[in-house]
């Protein structure tokens, strides 16, 4: 059993958001119980906090973290003493002003984490969707994202990419999507996390987003993944309808807090 799973209360050891994580929580320090947990770990963007469970329990754990002397705090035990880089908690958790002041964070976004583990029975491959080379096509992918999804932190040259796909039209790529590798190992099934989905405004309404998303889902499951996950802003009803038609189901409803002035989520 991995070190993370031995530290987690029993209820959370099979949670797909952790098992299908990107590894940043593997060395996390954990407080809490089956009602709620708070994890602290470093990442390439700095120390972060992640809560799961009942909103009142997670709120109480945050209050206790803010009230604990810095030297004995959860962040300090994770190797940091001054602040969290990002905080994500179940939506409905209301961190107190003192907690946000102590962590030096501000409200950033509300979003959902969805996952699917089957391909719709009616799915047929769309020949318009083609695999892209994350290196050779990097400039074209970034150019498309700059117009189609300027707020994304996805990038084709990041480590751990499973692949990128796109659809070409007049003037180049009109839509792209990528997937990163998640999980893997004796205690964690491999999964893919879909990210960087974007369709140029002048090409929307033609089913491109659906075709790209369903292709990644089918490719990931064919590659042996236990599931494919994605994150979406909570108010994006149009995207939600697409994802739900493809079999994605909401497994976490989240609120994130980040550095003041942040204009995009952490990678």
């Amino acid at each position: 059993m991995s070190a993370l799973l031995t530290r987690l209360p029993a209820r959370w050891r099979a949670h797909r958001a952790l098992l299908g994580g990107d590894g940043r929580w593997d060395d996390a320090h954990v407080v809490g119980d089956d009602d709620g947990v708070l994890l602290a770990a470093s990442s390439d963007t700095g120390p972060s906090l992640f809560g799961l469970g009942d909103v009142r329990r997670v709120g109480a754990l945050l209050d206790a973290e803010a009230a604990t002397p810095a030297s004995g705090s959860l962040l300090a035990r994770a190797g940091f003493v001054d602040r969290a880089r990002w905080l994500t908690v179940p939506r409905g958790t209301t961190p107190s002003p003192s907690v946000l002041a102590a962590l030096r964070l501000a409200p950033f976004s509300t979003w959902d984490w969805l996952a699917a583990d089957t391909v719709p029975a009616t799915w047929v491959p769309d020949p318009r969707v083609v695999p892209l080379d994350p290196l050779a096509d990097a400039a074209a992918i970034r150019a498309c994202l700059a117009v189609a999804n300027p707020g994304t932190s996805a990038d084709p040259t990041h480590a751990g990419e499973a692949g990128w796909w796109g659809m070409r039209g007049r003037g180049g790529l009109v839509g792209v999507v990528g997937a990163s590798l998640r999980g893997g190992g004796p205690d964690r099934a491999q999964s893919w996390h879909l990210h960087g989905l974007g369709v140029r405004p002048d090409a929307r309404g033609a089913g491109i987003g659906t075709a790209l998303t369903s292709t990644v889902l089918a490719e990931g499951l064919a590659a042996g993944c236990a599931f494919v996950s994605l994150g979406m802003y909570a108010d994006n009803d149009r995207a939600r309808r697409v994802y739900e038609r493809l079999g994605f189901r909401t497994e976490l409803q989240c609120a994130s807090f980040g550095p003041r002035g942040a204009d995009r989520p952490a990678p």
Side-chain angles (χ1 to χ4, degrees):
M1 184 177 290
S2 71
L4 173 61
L5 296 186
T6 62
R7 291 192 294 271
L8 284 169
R11 177 184 174 186
W12 308 110
R13 292 175 187 167
H15 200 293
R16 294 209 290 195
L18 294 176
L19 296 180
D22 59 4
R24 73 181 60 190
W25 305 110
D26 288 358
D27 297 320
H29 288 249
V30 182
V31 294
D33 49 36
D34 281 351
D35 290 330
V37 290
L38 190 63
L39 292 79
S42 63
S43 71
D44 57 0
T45 54
S48 298
L49 291 168
F50 182 38
L52 287 169
D54 178 78
V55 297
R56 290 166 296 185
R57 178 58 173 148
V58 174
L61 291 170
L62 285 170
D63 288 339
E65 171 69 10
T68 300
S71 61
S73 69
L74 183 63
L75 281 175
R77 296 201 300 276
F80 301 89
V81 295
D82 57 350
R83 60 168 297 173
R85 176 68 174 167
W86 287 88
L87 164 68
T88 293
V89 292
R91 197 152 66 245
T93 305
T94 306
S96 67
S98 62
V99 167
L100 294 180
L103 300 176
R104 290 191 273 167
L105 298 176
F108 181 78
S109 67
T110 56
W111 58 280
D112 294 341
W113 191 88
L114 294 79
D117 51 25
T118 59
V119 178
T122 57
W123 179 73
V124 176
D126 191 320
R128 298 176 299 169
V129 178
V130 296
L132 301 174
D133 186 314
L135 296 179
D137 294 320
I141 293 170
R142 292 179 184 134
C144 183
L145 288 175
V147 176
N149 188 353
T152 185
S153 57
D155 186 274
T157 62
H158 283 167
E161 294 297 287
W164 280 77
W165 294 261
M167 192 177 294
R168 302 186 190 276
R170 186 173 299 175
L173 290 169
V174 296
V176 295
V177 67
S180 58
L181 294 166
R182 299 288 175 92
D187 301 308
R188 295 168 54 182
Q190 179 178 294
S191 66
W192 282 8
H193 186 76
L194 184 153
H195 61 183
L197 175 64
V199 178
R200 296 177 65 98
D202 58 358
R204 291 172 185 167
I208 296 174
T210 299
L212 290 168
T213 302
S214 58
T215 296
V216 173
L217 174 59
E219 292 275 2
L221 297 179
C225 292
F227 59 90
V228 174
S229 62
L230 60 88
M232 57 163 285
Y233 288 120
D235 60 357
N236 193 342
D237 294 331
R238 183 175 181 178
R240 187 184 303 278
R241 289 193 292 270
V242 171
Y243 297 143
E244 289 181 347
R245 284 200 304 270
L246 295 175
F248 285 88
R249 295 294 178 260
T250 300
E251 299 194 8
L252 282 179
Q253 295 179 313
C254 303
S256 286
F257 301 78
R260 293 188 182 278
D263 61 356
R264 63 184 60 201

